[in-house]
Amino acid sequence: MSYFRNFSDFLYQSPLASRTSSYDYIRAKNIFRRAKIRDDIFQAAVAFDKYQIIGEERPDQIAQKIYGSSQYDWVVLISNNIINLREEWPLSDSEFNSYIETKYTAQELGEVHHYETTAYYDTRGKLIVPAGKVVDSNYSVTYFDYDVEDIITLSDPYTYDSTIDTFDSNLVRFDMDLQIEVRQGKSYTVNPVKSVSVYEYEIKKNEDKRNIFLLKPRYLQTIIDDLDEIMNYSFSSQYVDRSTKKGDELRVISPR
């Protein structure tokens, strides 16, 4: 991952017994500095494309496909705020099976993890309950709908009565030829709920990780320039150069 090549260095006094003086320093990457995509780009939906990870694709393989080089795997990761690849990237089939076998018994995998709604529509196609909402097993919803078996068509002209505000639970449709279709409505109570097993939950959680966002290639150089700027040091008492800082000479002050 070339990402760490962009990190600035820090010189700290050598703790090794083999040091020859208090002025011996060790050079290390300053891993406490962390870059991110700047907010104006990260919050712009037009700067990213949706992408679904295929099979056992790795970040470096996706970077090669999208940006032409595997060294930009870090762009794939910071575009999705991924820090822990093991926890936040989809597991391969073998890794997933190993994870399942380690974490659960066969009996536990078949147990109910939670309940969620299934999509439910009324007779007119209006969505009453969306799918995927986590609920209790006894969740129910009551809604008003007309009875498809009880439709009366009146051919007499209709005269509007301004004193009537409602149609007493009737749904009325007016046709161009002045026919009136009166549909007797009533309330219905439904329980559109299904159980989700522990195994199903783990599969979905792993599969959901396949849906990521990728920075569009035309913004790549901007991100690289930003990273270079963020990782460089500004002037201070510890400043050596733009990519290097030096720790205090503590042993010169308090030798041991």
Side-chain angles (χ1 to χ4, degrees):
M1 181 183 284
S2 64
Y3 176 64
F4 291 104
R5 296 176 192 166
N6 297 289
F7 276 53
S8 49
D9 292 340
F10 187 77
L11 300 177
Y12 67 99
Q13 282 188 307
S14 174
L16 302 177
S18 59
R19 66 181 183 274
T20 58
S21 76
S22 295
Y23 295 98
D24 286 352
Y25 282 81
I26 294 177
R27 180 179 291 271
K29 290 293 182 184
N30 186 356
I31 61 174
F32 295 102
R33 294 175 75 88
R34 179 172 176 261
K36 68 172 186 175
I37 296 176
R38 69 184 194 217
D39 291 340
D40 62 324
I41 294 179
F42 193 78
Q43 295 174 4
V46 295
F48 295 87
D49 289 320
K50 291 182 179 180
Y51 184 86
Q52 186 170 52
I53 299 170
I54 302 171
E56 298 182 7
E57 276 187 318
R58 304 188 306 270
D60 60 310
Q61 294 173 323
I62 295 175
Q64 179 68 47
K65 180 193 298 186
I66 304 300
Y67 305 119
S69 174
S70 60
Q71 70 174 335
Y72 297 123
D73 52 355
W74 58 272
V75 177
V76 175
L77 298 179
I78 67 171
S79 294
N80 295 277
N81 281 328
I82 293 177
I83 299 175
N84 188 329
L85 193 63
R86 173 69 180 178
E87 296 292 332
E88 300 176 84
W89 196 262
L91 300 174
S92 66
D93 290 343
S94 59
E95 290 172 332
F96 179 77
N97 290 333
S98 177
Y99 162 76
I100 288 295
E101 291 172 1
T102 302
K103 187 173 181 179
Y104 302 103
T105 65
Q107 181 179 347
E108 288 173 334
L109 286 175
E111 294 176 353
V112 174
H113 183 275
H114 67 272
Y115 294 89
E116 64 182 41
T117 57
T118 57
Y120 191 87
Y121 301 83
D122 67 9
T123 52
R124 290 166 290 172
K126 178 183 177 182
L127 180 65
I128 301 300
V129 180
K133 180 181 178 182
V134 178
V135 294
D136 294 330
S137 60
N138 61 351
Y139 170 82
S140 64
V141 61
T142 300
Y143 70 101
F144 180 82
D145 200 357
Y146 65 76
D147 189 338
V148 295
E149 301 299 328
D150 188 11
I151 299 177
I152 303 173
T153 301
L154 305 177
S155 58
D156 296 332
Y158 172 75
T159 302
Y160 176 69
D161 187 343
S162 61
T163 64
I164 301 177
D165 295 324
T166 67
F167 289 98
D168 297 328
S169 299
N170 289 336
L171 299 180
V172 181
R173 189 183 72 189
F174 304 96
D175 294 331
M176 295 300 294
D177 60 0
L178 297 182
Q179 285 188 340
I180 304 172
E181 197 173 74
V182 181
R183 304 188 179 195
Q184 183 65 43
K186 62 181 180 181
S187 295
Y188 296 86
T189 299
V190 293
N191 177 233
V193 175
K194 69 173 183 177
S195 63
V196 177
S197 69
V198 171
Y199 184 65
E200 291 172 325
Y201 165 76
E202 290 289 356
I203 288 179
K204 185 178 185 303
K205 184 173 72 171
N206 192 58
E207 289 302 304
D208 284 347
K209 295 176 184 177
R210 296 188 179 278
N211 301 313
I212 62 174
F213 290 93
L214 295 180
L215 184 75
K216 292 181 178 179
R218 66 173 175 268
Y219 295 101
L220 180 61
Q221 190 57 51
T222 301
I223 298 303
I224 294 172
D225 293 342
D226 285 349
L227 178 65
D228 181 64
E229 183 64 28
I230 291 170
M231 289 305 178
N232 284 328
Y233 293 120
S234 56
F235 187 78
S236 70
S237 60
Q238 296 178 309
Y239 182 89
V240 176
D241 55 46
R242 281 174 56 83
S243 62
T244 310
K245 271 188 175 182
K246 186 178 182 181
D248 294 328
E249 299 173 347
L250 298 178
R251 292 200 187 90
V252 175
I253 300 172
S254 303
R256 60 179 177 84

